[in-house]
Amino acid sequence: LFREAMGSPVEMEYAIDLRPGENNLPTFYILQIKPLIRSEEQVDIDPLTNGENNLFMYAAKGMGNGVINDIRDVVYVEPLKFSSLVTQEIARQVSEYNKYFEENNKEYILIGPGRWGTQDHFTGIPVYWAGISKARVIVEIGLKDFPLDGSLGSHFFHNVTSMNVGYFSIPHNSSTSFIDLDILEKQEVVRSTGYIHHVRFDNPLKVMMDGRTRQAVIKIS
């Protein structure tokens, strides 16, 4: 039943109380259910690829494996409006955007400063998994006055690994990793509220993740 409901194999944790309960029968308790979605696809990323002019992002450290080539939407935190004092409001706004993607059964790329999912709202965005559940790729970036202590998905570890969500870390002024946020300002604006922008590319982006070397790239079609 759970496999059919989730559309994938599941990991289930349960407990049984053998003492007679209702109708004089033992009681079966479901503790938690998690989907098991994995990609064994082999992806090779040439380190020299970061010289290509169609590259939107290159991460030397990340999680995930495989290729994603059907996402056009990006939700990101506006760097110039960001402040560690408003991360709780940012988390609320991101959750509202996520509802749109849930209703339309679409996935998106989520970009923002600091650690996503941290409970310390001075070090990142304190979202819960339910508030970013349709994010297929999550990018943590460091800003000049807001250095990144990359979590690499530690707050959502099982969700990230089992659902093969791309999770990338881009430190500020890194000599290896980078992301070109200026490209986002040239895209169609779907919605903009306060600290959050939702933009849509004309063509799907191509996300390539090498789970062996932990490298990842996002290319513009």
Side-chain angles (χ1 to χ4, degrees), residues 87-126:
T87 54
Q88 292 172 313
E89 172 60 18
I90 291 174
R92 188 195 65 78
Q93 290 186 18
V94 169
S95 297
E96 289 298 318
Y97 280 78
N98 192 74
K99 290 180 182 177
Y100 163 82
F101 289 96
E102 288 180 335
E103 293 169 355
N104 291 274
N105 195 29
K106 297 176 64 177
E107 296 179 320
Y108 62 99
I109 295 175
L110 177 63
I111 303 172
R115 304 183 67 175
W116 286 97
T118 179
Q119 293 304 302
D120 182 357
H121 63 273
F122 290 110
T123 62
I125 315 297

Side-chain angles (χ1 to χ4, degrees), residues 45-55 58 217 219:
I45 297 176
D46 186 342
L48 299 178
T49 191
N50 58 14
E52 298 179 10
N53 56 16
N54 67 334
L55 207 60
Y58 170 79
V217 296
K219 295 183 178 182

Side-chain angles (χ1 to χ4, degrees), residues 68-74 107-109 134-137 201 203-207:
I68 306 169
N69 51 22
D70 59 355
I71 295 180
R72 294 173 53 205
D73 296 277
V74 176
E107 296 179 320
Y108 62 99
I109 295 175
K134 297 300 287 185
R136 187 67 176 82
V137 174
F201 284 74
N203 300 304
L205 296 165
K206 185 173 185 179
V207 183

